[in-house]
Amino acid sequence: MPVDESLRTAADLRARMRERRTVRMFSPDPVPEQVVLDAIEVASTAPSGAHQQPWTFVLVKNPEVRRRIREAAEHEERVSYAGRLGEEWLEALRPLGTDDVKPHLTDAPELVVVFQQRYYEEPDGGRRKHYYVDESVGIAVGMLLTALHLSGLAALTHTPSPMRFLGEVLGRPRNEKAFAVIPIGYPADDCVVPNLVRKSLDQVVVRV
């Protein structure tokens, strides 16, 4: 790529990604499922330890399953907000205006639950360890969010804690551990987001 084209592309991406915001208020309007599938495929191109690709993306469409996920997530969140999180974490969350009610889990037209594969199960029942699983899946989720935003969709990374219920509700195998729940769609007409300020480039870059 010529240098001038590279500079234009980088500046355009920077400007477009500056507009990305986490959304918690979704419109129920449907989105093109192929856009979501393409974004998942982009995510699956992420680098991974030993190229083991230790991720599973579960696209949840069934309304009853979505209801069960929301019910279980809100139960865990009620416990967390009642004290399990600790006052320091609750204080950090207050500017975001979050609480234990999670309508995005049923309102958003698409829901992706990302699982990390802690190890690979051989056909004979043996196990093969996966390496750098947290890092690999974290990079993949970042690429998923970027692809969704650049495709015109809004998303939220929701991480109820603990998340064991997700594997149970979705019937995932024992080698998979839930990593994040990502509602996807268009912002609701009355959507609002916190008035946050991102760190400047000079605050996050150190030249040595």
Side-chain angles (χ1 to χ4, degrees):
M1 180 182 291
V3 172
D4 58 346
E5 184 179 350
S6 180
L7 288 169
R8 286 195 303 271
T9 300
D12 177 64
L13 287 172
R14 180 185 64 199
R16 294 180 67 187
M17 290 308 297
R18 277 178 175 170
E19 297 174 347
R20 191 203 64 79
R21 297 301 302 269
T22 293
V23 166
R24 291 180 171 82
M25 301 168 66
F26 287 88
S27 165
D29 294 342
V31 301
E33 185 177 289
Q34 188 59 48
V35 174
V36 178
L37 294 175
D38 286 344
I40 291 174
E41 188 163 352
V42 168
S44 70
T45 69
S48 60
H51 193 58
Q52 292 174 323
Q53 306 167 80
W55 43 64
T56 302
F57 301 88
V58 180
L59 183 57
V60 187
K61 308 287 287 188
N62 186 297
E64 174 58 21
V65 176
R66 297 273 297 269
R67 183 197 65 77
R68 290 173 60 198
I69 289 174
R70 177 177 175 179
E71 184 179 86
E74 289 183 337
H75 168 74
E76 296 297 347
E77 295 285 5
R78 281 192 296 273
V79 176
S80 293
Y81 277 88
R84 182 168 59 190
L85 290 176
E87 183 54 35
E88 185 176 357
W89 181 223
L90 289 172
E91 180 64 26
L93 287 174
R94 286 192 181 101
L96 303 180
T98 60
D99 58 24
D100 57 9
V101 181
K102 306 299 178 184
H104 46 261
L105 294 174
T106 49
D107 289 352
E110 303 285 334
L111 186 70
V112 172
V113 182
V114 185
F115 287 85
Q116 50 182 199
Q117 301 169 6
R118 306 305 300 179
Y119 55 89
Y120 174 75
E121 286 199 331
E122 304 283 0
D124 62 1
R127 296 184 180 184
R128 186 177 72 225
K129 182 179 178 180
H130 282 168
Y131 297 91
Y132 298 102
V133 175
D134 292 340
E135 296 86 347
S136 301
V137 178
I139 294 169
V141 168
M143 292 178 64
L144 174 62
L145 297 175
T146 300
L148 291 168
H149 173 70
L150 293 177
S151 301
L153 298 181
L156 164 70
T157 47
H158 177 48
T159 53
S161 180
M163 291 194 282
R164 184 176 301 171
F165 69 88
L166 289 165
E168 296 169 356
V169 171
L170 295 173
R172 301 311 304 158
R174 61 183 178 177
N175 66 317
E176 292 188 358
K177 179 182 177 183
F179 186 83
V181 183
I182 306 180
I184 300 165
Y186 300 118
D189 290 339
D190 59 348
C191 179
V192 293
V193 295
N195 185 21
L196 304 177
V197 177
R198 291 188 172 101
K199 291 181 178 180
S200 68
L201 186 62
D202 288 340
Q203 291 175 297
V204 300
V205 173
V206 177
R207 291 182 173 89
V208 179

